[in-house]
């Protein structure tokens, strides 16, 4: 029962398991719902999908599986009265003149209906919405059916367009390799426990020791709770070529931020120079001196750079090489100063590793970092953390 | 016994189905959604409609799974032993049942709310797998097996701060509370402020949805913020026309503090209103 449905879901990349399928069957057996496709859609989504980012995939799979199960003639169920005002509103006077030449709106709508029917046949009677690419008669005027928004007229459309075909969760689908949880699990290895804060935990050994020293007179001893004592300085490259990797970086950033208490982060562009900043909106007015950072944070901080290291070699090697301002000292010097203060340091590079050899600047940075550059993948992150500890 | 909208809480059909399925199949129901869409309220209303006890377990960053089961108070036992109290001979006197234990042993099938599970440590959900699956656990200190006489209705909420492990998700039903559309929202407002004038309400909703659609807002206002805002508007007796008048106060709506919770957002709205004003001229 529903085995094909289950495999369709898996084919669409949903990670549903057998337990979840059994749950669904059990729910059907208990008659939570009865003979109602829409309720079945909701129930199966409830049991089988556990993440709202997967709703879109589920909708597609559901539509695919049930295509033909419930055939509905879309063209017949579009009432003309809610097409006309919408279309008229969108047409300019010029368009309206052209429209008249073609025999008026009625004629045009007629064509649209026919086209809809035709299209439905071509797509084997499915309940898919009208395609987007220029097949519509509206194309001539620069409006495709999507622009006319045929499907969005409230409850009148509900019968025609099935809920799952609306695919309302489209925005949320992220097929990311690095998901947040796996980053956090990787970061979890970056831990060094130390006891700090108020003394709240019972120190059993201390208590036994102290009590026996007092010949059995109870002497309770407490100790501080264990906390992660890792301190991090993170430098993010921002802007320019990093735009392609912004999502990956944001995920890393979010994960880092929630996992570590002692965390300072700064932004730079391409290469670190005499100033960095904390807020991209105020980057010119509120720059922090790199020197001050070196003097403020002790050498027990660990240093992580996140950047693609893709730039002109002169941006690293020469004074005045920066693309944004005149730097008196080459970027190399600033990197080396930071590395001298923070011996535990890594560079995470979102560029795929196989491309690294094609960029001279990546080689330069790698040399300055003494080979401690890792790709921004799960394996790379794990390896980087090992170097940091 | 089906769960439906009450006098002061509006549920969508989808959510009602989700709750009823979870109740019938005795599975935990995981609820996600934007903050302020009534996730926690759901458990309260459900308990009320079933006329049963609501046991709330609010999760904090330091909460451990063990806290939900029981805690052994070694310190008071040691103290009692020093003072020669008779209580000391029975270890049961020092076992403090946690929320799960309370839920398992309740007389009538209770509603257990595990609120904001994503606040806890990343391993927390994994530590609860067995307990939620079997609805039973073992007390090491006394050798007692605590198991649920009736499986409690478990509602778990999450704000998506951390992703939950697959093994945990597989044991739950999942429902994502979507942001209500204008009609549902109107129904919700009606329930909370029956005496509000229709004109004020529709203008306020318009302003509210416009605000939600602004790209780049750090925190989109949600249902609970809308309700707070309306409360203020009613208290200050602000007429509907003032809401549409964008010229006042640099283009911000009156009492904007209830809707916008972040100075960057306020600045953004101000800037957009300023631009709109310039274009309008």
């Amino acid at each position: 029962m529903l085995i094909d449905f289950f495999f369709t879901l898996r084919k669409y990349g949903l990670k549903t398991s057998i337990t979840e399928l059994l749950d669904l069957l059990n729910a059907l057996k208990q008659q939570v719902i009865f003979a109602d496709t829409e309720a079945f859609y909701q129930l199966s989504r409830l049991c089988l999908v556990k993440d709202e980012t997967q709703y879109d995939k589920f909708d597609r799979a559901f539509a695919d599986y049930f295509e033909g199960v419930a055939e509905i003639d879309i063209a017949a169920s579009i009432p003309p009265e809610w097409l006309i005002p919408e279309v008229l509103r969108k047409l300019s006077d010029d368009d309206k003149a052209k429209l008249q030449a073609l025999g008026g709106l009625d004629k045009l709508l007629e064509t649209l209906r026919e086209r809809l029917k035709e299209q439905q046949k071509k797509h084997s009677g499915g309940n898919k919405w009208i395609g987007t690419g220029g097949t519509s008669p509206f194309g001539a005027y620069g409006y495709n059916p999507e622009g006319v928004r045929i499907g969005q007229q409230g409850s009148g459309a509900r019968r025609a367009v099935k809920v799952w075909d609306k695919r309302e969760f489209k925005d949320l689908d992220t097929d990311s390799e690095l998901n947040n949880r796996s980053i956090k699990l990787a970061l979890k290895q970056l831990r060094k426990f130390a006891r700090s804060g108020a003394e709240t935990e019972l120190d059993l050994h201390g208590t036994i020791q102290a009590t026996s020293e007092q010949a059995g007179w109870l002497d309770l001893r407490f100790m501080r709770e264990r906390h992660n004592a890792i301190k991090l300085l993170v430098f993010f490259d921002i802007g320019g070529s990093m735009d392609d990797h912004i999502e990956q970086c944001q995920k890393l950033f979010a994960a880092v931020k929630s996992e570590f208490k002692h965390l300072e982060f700064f932004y730079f562009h391409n290469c670190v120079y005499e100033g960095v900043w904390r807020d991209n909106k105020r980057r010119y007015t509120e720059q922090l001196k790199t020197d001050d950072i070196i003097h403020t944070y002790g050498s027990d901080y660990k240093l992580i750079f996140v950047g693609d290291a893709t730039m002109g070699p002169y941006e690293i090697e020469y004074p005045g090489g920066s693309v944004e301002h005149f730097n008196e000292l080459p970027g190399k010097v600033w990197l080396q100063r930071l590395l001298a203060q923070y011996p535990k340091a890594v560079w995470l590079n979102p560029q795929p590793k196989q491309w690294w050899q094609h960029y001279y600047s990546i080689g330069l940075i790698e040399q300055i970092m003494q080979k401690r550059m890792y790709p921004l993948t799960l394996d790379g992150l794990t390896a980087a953390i090992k170097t940091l500890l | 016994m089906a769960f439906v909208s009450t006098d002061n809480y509006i549920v969508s059909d989808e959510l009602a189905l989700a709750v009823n399925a979870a109740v019938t199949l005795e599975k935990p129901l995981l609820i996600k959604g934007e903050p302020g869409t009534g996730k926690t309220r759901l458990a309260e209303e459900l308990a009320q409609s079933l006329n049963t006890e609501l046991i709330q377990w609010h999760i904090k960053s330091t909460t451990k799974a063990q806290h939900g089961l029981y805690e052994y108070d070694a310190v008071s036992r040691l103290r009692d032993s020093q003072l020669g109290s008779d209580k000391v001979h029975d270890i049961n006197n020092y076992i403090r049942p946690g929320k799960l234990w309370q839920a398992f042993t309740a007389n009538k099938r209770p509603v257990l709310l595990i609120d904001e599970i994503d606040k806890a440590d990343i391993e927390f959900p994994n530590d609860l797998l067995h307990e939620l699956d079997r609805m039973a656990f073992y007390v090491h200190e006394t050798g007692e097996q605590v198991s649920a006489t009736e499986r409690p209705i478990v509602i778990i909420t999450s704000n998506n701060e951390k992703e939950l492990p697959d093994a945990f998700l597989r044991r739950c039903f999942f429902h994502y509370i979507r942001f209500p559309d204008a009609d549902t929202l109107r129904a919700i407002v009606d329930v909370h402020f029956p005496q509000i004038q229709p004109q004020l309400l529709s203008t306020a909703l318009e302003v509210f949805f416009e605000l939600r659609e602004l790209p780049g807002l750090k925190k989109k206002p949600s249902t609970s913020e809308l309700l707070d805002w309306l409360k203020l508007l009613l208290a200050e007796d602000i007429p509907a026309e003032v809401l549409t008048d964008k010229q006042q106060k640099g283009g911000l709506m009156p009492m904007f503090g209830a809707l916008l919770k972040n100075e960057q957002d306020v600045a953004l709205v101000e800037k957009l209103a300023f631009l709109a004003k310039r274009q309008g001229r």
Side-chain angles (χ1 to χ4, degrees):
Chain A
M1 228 188 135
L2 292 179
I3 302 292
D4 282 344
F5 177 53
F6 179 70
F7 279 110
T8 315
L9 292 180
R10 291 194 61 97
K11 200 175 78 193
Y12 274 81
L14 284 162
K15 292 187 190 72
T16 42
S17 68
I18 298 166
T19 11
E20 286 160 315
L21 177 68
L22 293 177
D23 281 343
L24 174 63
L25 292 175
N26 193 6
L28 291 173
K29 202 178 123 201
Q30 307 253 359
Q31 302 205 335
V32 176
I33 54 153
F34 185 70
D36 176 351
T37 332
E38 205 155 298
F40 175 72
Y41 160 75
Q42 277 159 13
L43 182 71
S44 50
R45 196 178 69 182
L46 176 75
C47 299
L48 301 173
V49 192
K50 299 298 160 69
D51 188 353
E52 72 276 15
T53 59
Q54 306 291 316
Y55 277 2
D56 182 51
K57 276 186 198 157
F58 179 77
D59 284 359
R60 271 182 283 161
F62 196 93
D64 181 20
Y65 182 73
F66 283 92
E67 198 161 296
V69 171
E71 248 179 73
I72 284 176
D73 187 1
I74 300 178
S77 54
I78 299 180
E81 55 272 22
W82 54 256
L83 270 179
I84 292 166
E86 187 74 40
V87 173
L88 281 182
R89 204 150 51 84
K90 299 225 168 190
L91 297 182
S92 70
D93 290 346
D94 211 23
D95 290 332
K96 279 179 197 158
K98 275 189 202 159
L99 192 67
Q100 285 302 325
L102 276 172
L105 191 61
D106 285 346
K107 179 92 186 289
L108 191 68
L109 283 178
E110 197 61 29
T111 328
L112 173 65
R113 272 161 180 263
E114 264 162 35
R115 185 58 48 89
L116 273 171
K117 261 186 199 150
E118 216 176 275
Q119 207 174 357
Q120 203 177 17
K121 274 177 207 148
K122 258 189 215 151
H123 286 290
S124 65
N127 37 25
K128 281 252 168 67
W129 199 235
I130 315 164
T132 48
T135 52
S136 148
F138 292 96
Y141 310 101
Y143 298 97
N144 64 22
E146 205 174 58
V148 176
R149 295 183 175 204
I150 295 173
Q152 302 199 351
Q153 279 283 340
S155 59
R158 258 222 193 119
R159 265 176 305 123
V161 187
K162 288 292 192 185
V163 188
W164 46 92
D165 260 358
K166 287 203 288 190
R167 292 179 55 189
E168 285 177 33
F169 288 89
K170 202 173 166 192
D171 286 358
L172 297 171
D173 194 356
T174 47
D175 241 335
S176 52
E177 290 167 28
L178 260 181
N179 76 36
N180 216 336
R181 186 175 169 83
S182 46
I183 296 184
K184 278 186 191 164
L185 280 175
L187 284 175
K188 245 192 125 162
Q189 298 164 11
L190 190 54
R191 277 183 169 187
K192 204 151 75 185
F193 283 107
R195 295 186 180 276
S196 63
E199 296 180 339
T200 51
E201 211 175 285
L202 179 69
D203 177 4
L204 196 58
H205 286 288
T207 306
I208 293 173
Q209 181 78 32
T211 307
S212 41
E213 269 167 17
Q214 301 209 40
W217 187 250
L218 184 61
D219 186 3
L220 289 173
R221 288 295 161 97
F222 291 89
M223 57 185 171
R224 297 182 170 98
E225 235 181 290
R226 275 160 26 112
H227 291 291
N228 193 356
I230 289 281
K231 298 173 178 177
L232 281 183
L233 290 179
V234 187
F235 285 78
F236 275 94
D237 182 358
I238 204 83
S241 49
M242 282 297 283
D243 285 352
D244 305 344
H245 313 293
I246 206 85
E247 212 181 314
Q248 246 175 319
C249 292
Q250 269 172 352
K251 277 186 177 166
L252 176 74
F253 181 62
V256 169
K257 223 175 153 186
S258 63
E259 281 302 296
F260 298 97
K261 222 175 249 170
H262 304 284
L263 166 74
E264 304 293 334
F265 61 91
F266 306 98
Y267 294 110
F268 64 96
H269 186 200
N270 279 358
C271 186
V272 183
Y273 301 107
E274 61 276 6
V276 292
W277 56 96
R278 278 177 197 272
D279 185 339
N280 276 309
K281 270 187 218 131
R282 280 168 275 183
R283 57 175 295 192
Y284 296 110
T285 48
E286 282 178 31
Q287 278 213 353
L288 297 159
K289 284 187 183 152
T290 309
D291 264 337
D292 286 351
I293 290 169
I294 292 174
H295 295 144
T296 311
Y297 302 103
S299 56
D300 53 339
Y301 272 82
K302 299 182 192 307
L303 184 62
I304 299 178
F305 292 105
V306 183
D308 58 0
T310 308
M311 59 194 121
Y314 43 85
E315 290 179 57
I316 305 168
E317 299 243 277
Y318 296 103
S322 164
V323 282
E324 292 194 320
H325 70 299
F326 188 87
N327 52 308
E328 281 177 15
L329 291 168
K332 189 165 74 173
V333 171
W334 288 108
L335 282 175
Q336 276 159 353
R337 282 190 189 172
L338 281 167
L339 290 176
Q341 166 74 354
Y342 308 105
K344 295 280 188 189
V346 290
W347 187 294
L348 292 172
N349 195 333
Q351 292 265 30
K353 196 167 182 179
Q354 61 270 27
W355 296 0
W356 289 6
Q357 47 178 332
H358 303 301
Y359 295 98
Y360 181 60
S361 61
I362 293 186
L364 274 178
I365 297 267
E366 214 177 353
Q367 207 183 331
I368 296 170
M369 295 297 298
Q370 291 156 350
K371 295 273 165 210
R372 287 173 295 177
M373 184 184 278
Y374 300 90
L376 188 50
T377 58
L378 220 49
D379 289 344
L381 198 59
T382 316
I385 284 167
K386 267 197 199 122
T387 334
L388 276 180
L389 280 175
Chain B
M1 161 66 236
F3 178 57
V4 285
S5 299
T6 59
D7 289 347
N8 42 21
Y9 188 71
I10 303 285
V11 258
S12 66
D13 292 348
E14 277 174 64
L15 184 56
L17 175 74
V19 171
N20 289 327
V23 173
T24 323
L25 292 175
E26 308 181 323
K27 284 244 165 193
L29 175 62
L30 172 65
I31 302 273
K32 272 206 245 173
E34 276 179 46
T37 37
K39 297 188 290 290
T40 311
R41 272 298 292 284
L42 171 72
E44 291 166 9
E45 294 299 328
L46 180 64
Q48 210 168 47
S49 82
L50 294 175
N51 195 18
T52 180
E53 191 190 355
L54 171 68
I55 298 172
Q56 303 193 35
W57 186 15
H58 298 286
I59 306 297
K60 287 183 270 178
S61 63
T62 49
T63 308
K64 303 260 174 337
Q66 184 66 32
H67 296 164
L69 309 180
Y70 65 91
E71 280 173 282
Y72 171 50
D73 191 352
V75 176
S76 21
R77 193 173 188 206
L78 284 172
R79 287 233 188 270
D80 282 355
S81 76
Q82 196 78 65
L83 298 167
S85 161
D86 277 343
K87 264 167 73 183
V88 79
H89 299 295
D90 187 1
I91 196 166
N92 281 318
N93 289 329
Y94 303 96
I95 305 262
R96 304 265 143 84
K99 299 285 181 190
L100 277 176
W101 189 330
Q102 285 175 31
F104 288 176
T105 51
N107 292 326
K108 194 177 172 194
R109 191 181 181 197
V111 176
L112 172 66
L113 169 69
I114 304 181
D115 206 10
E116 312 203 33
I117 195 166
D118 52 330
K119 295 277 178 296
D121 188 78
I122 197 153
E123 302 290 0
F124 177 85
N126 280 333
D127 296 343
L128 279 181
L129 284 182
H130 182 80
E131 284 72 17
L132 286 180
D133 215 24
R134 300 261 167 273
M135 294 286 178
F137 60 90
Y138 184 73
V139 185
H140 293 282
E141 279 79 0
T142 57
E144 185 189 352
Q145 173 87 10
V146 177
S147 44
T149 37
E150 248 188 305
R151 291 170 73 94
I153 301 161
V154 184
I155 306 275
I156 303 167
T157 72
S158 161
N159 275 328
N160 239 353
E161 275 182 26
K162 291 195 180 84
E163 279 172 53
L164 301 169
D166 282 346
F168 180 78
L169 292 174
R170 234 168 261 139
R171 286 166 169 79
C172 307
F173 284 153
F174 170 74
H175 182 74
Y176 181 82
I177 299 193
R178 254 181 308 161
F179 197 79
D181 56 7
D183 288 339
T184 321
L185 206 50
R186 198 163 283 139
I188 292 173
V189 172
D190 272 347
V191 154
H192 286 266
F193 305 106
Q195 78 286 19
I196 200 165
Q197 326 147 15
Q199 197 205 348
L200 175 67
L201 177 57
S202 61
T203 334
L205 280 182
E206 222 167 86
V207 173
F208 174 74
F209 274 104
E210 213 171 275
L211 194 62
R212 271 186 63 85
E213 263 162 36
L214 272 190
L217 273 195
K218 289 229 156 144
K219 161 87 178 69
K220 284 186 184 175
S222 64
T223 322
S224 62
E225 268 120 27
L226 173 70
L227 294 179
D228 286 346
W229 185 50
L230 289 175
K231 206 183 285 172
L232 282 175
L233 290 181
L234 281 180
E236 295 286 318
D237 221 1
I238 288 175
E241 300 84 64
V242 181
L243 289 184
T244 43
D245 180 15
K246 297 230 161 134
Q247 307 299 322
Q248 66 138 19
K249 253 201 193 171
L252 286 168
M253 59 291 290
M255 315 283 162
F256 61 86
L259 289 176
L260 300 168
K261 300 285 173 75
N262 176 315
E263 75 267 21
Q264 276 124 308
D265 287 352
V266 175
L268 179 76
V269 173
E270 248 175 336
K271 207 153 75 187
L272 287 174
F274 176 69
L275 288 176
K277 209 157 73 179
R278 240 192 358 197
Q279 272 169 357
R281 246 197 319 208

